[in-house]
Amino acid sequence: MFRLNANLAVYLHRGAIDFRKNINGLSAIVEHELRLDPFAHAAFVFGNRTKDRIKILGWSRNRFWLLQKRLENARFVWPREDTSVIEITVQQLHWLAAAS
């Protein structure tokens, strides 16, 4: 299983995104909507409208990486808060990504 460093900051974007967005589109959301640095030592988590898919964007040394997970018969449980972005722990991200 893919594991992230426990010291990594994780930001969960609460709104649904267009899943056709690639690295450039997602990094623009991070910079302009969330007002965060896409080059930071962090993972940025995005979900689609039906919450059956997530994308995780990160920066490592000199390149972006993008992970995607799709559930066939389930939905990801998304936190209910009023802010557009929520900071979660790496452990909480692993729990979210392990959902099935």
Side-chain angles (χ1 to χ4, degrees), residues 12 14 77-81 86 88 96:
L12 182 77
R14 287 203 49 257
V77 178
W78 225 243
R80 297 178 192 203
E81 293 196 16
I86 301 169
I88 63 174
L96 176 72

Side-chain angles (χ1 to χ4, degrees), residues 7-30:
N7 299 327
L8 190 68
V10 180
Y11 299 99
L12 182 77
H13 181 268
R14 287 203 49 257
I17 63 157
D18 178 353
F19 248 56
R20 294 173 292 183
K21 289 197 181 296
N22 58 17
I23 288 172
N24 295 335
L26 295 175
S27 62
I29 290 173
V30 170

Side-chain angles (χ1 to χ4, degrees), residues 42-71:
F44 303 95
V45 184
F46 303 90
N48 65 344
R49 183 179 45 79
T50 58
K51 299 300 183 246
D52 63 344
R53 297 176 188 190
I54 61 171
K55 283 188 176 184
I56 305 171
L57 176 70
W59 174 260
S60 179
R61 297 185 191 166
N62 63 350
R63 62 194 166 277
F64 279 106
W65 50 265
L66 183 64
L67 303 173
Q68 180 175 334
K69 183 168 184 174
R70 179 178 73 187
L71 300 178

